[in-house]
Every structure is written in structure tokens, then in C-alpha cells.
Amino acid sequence: MGNSYEDECRRSLAKEQVKSLAGTNNWEHVDRERVHRDWDVLYREITAFLDGGSLPGDQQIQEFVRRHFDIVCRFYTPSREAYVGMSLFYAEDEAMRAFHDSYHPGMVEFLGAAIKVFAEQGSGFAPSAGAEASA
């Protein structure tokens, strides 16, 4: 993926999150404690596969990413680009990288690659901001 696509993904994430936060009073509908517990369980499960030679596109890994996406959708349903933007945020934000890599030193890169596969193949995404603008 080129830099312009990644920039589009970053912009989509920022725009969609701002819109969602404003429309939901900062995601007051989300049970954050449960979200964090669910992500903790999920990340521990993924960690068990990281040293076993699993690939980001493997069926089991993609099921984990589907669960990750479902948790994200408790906040709002992102577009494909915003979801990829989230994986970039995990890699580029120091605190997010440290959090994810606390489960496994390769978690951020592996999860990012798996999210990109999911985005290319998955369904259930909101329309992208670009699609809304042209509609």
C-alpha cells in the first residue's frame, strides 16, 4: 500500500472518529470496561498464534480480526479505510504501540497486516468518507 492510501486511511480514521464522538457524546454508550476485557482476551488468544508460524491471512487469524472489528463497532462502524487507519494509529502512536506490543513484541505489525487483509477481503464496513462525498 502506498503512502497516499495510508494518508487517506489516516484521514478517514480521524474524520470518522470525530463525527462519531460528536454524535454519541464521546461514545457514552460504550461499556469501556467490557471492551478492554474483551480486547485483553482477544489479544492473549492472538499471542498464542504469533510464535506458532501463523500468517495474517490464515483463517483463524482472520476470525480474530473479525472479533476485533466487532469490538470496534461497539464505538461506531468504520469504513474500510478508517479500519486500516486504526492499524496505522496502533503502529505510529507510542502509547498504542506499547500497549499492543506488551502482549507480544510483534503484535502491532502482525495485527496491522491482518487488519489490512481483513479490509481487503472483509465486509460490513461503513461507506468511506470519499464515497459519501461523491454520492
Side-chain angles (χ1 to χ4, degrees):
M1 289 185 208
N3 286 342
S4 64
Y5 178 72
E6 289 179 355
D7 289 343
E8 176 187 350
C9 292
R10 288 180 191 96
R11 283 190 303 273
S12 292
L13 176 66
K15 181 177 180 180
E16 291 175 28
Q17 284 187 342
V18 164
K19 181 179 178 182
S20 177
L21 283 162
T24 62
N25 195 27
N26 294 318
W27 296 325
E28 72 179 355
H29 67 285
V30 176
D31 181 345
R32 289 189 168 110
E33 187 175 314
R34 180 169 180 215
V35 163
H36 288 285
R37 279 194 319 263
D38 291 348
W39 265 326
D40 180 63
V41 168
L42 177 62
Y43 291 156
R44 289 177 192 280
E45 290 178 41
I46 293 171
T47 296
F49 284 79
L50 282 175
D51 291 328
S54 293
L55 300 173
D58 290 350
Q59 182 177 355
Q60 180 61 53
I61 300 303
Q62 287 300 297
E63 177 54 34
F64 289 144
V65 176
R66 163 55 68 187
R67 286 173 48 203
H68 181 273
F69 180 76
D70 290 345
I71 295 168
V72 168
C73 288
R74 294 179 199 171
F75 295 88
Y76 75 102
T77 302
S79 68
R80 187 177 316 272
E81 294 79 11
Y83 193 50
V84 171
M86 184 175 294
S87 73
L88 297 170
F89 176 68
Y90 289 172
E92 295 165 352
D93 181 84
E94 188 176 315
M96 291 302 285
R97 176 176 280 282
F99 169 76
H100 286 86
D101 281 351
S102 72
Y103 288 91
H104 185 283
M107 178 67 86
V108 166
E109 278 75 20
F110 188 82
L111 186 58
I115 285 173
K116 288 173 184 166
V117 169
F118 182 82
E120 291 169 1
Q121 300 174 354
S123 61
F125 293 98
S128 70
E132 290 173 358
S134 64

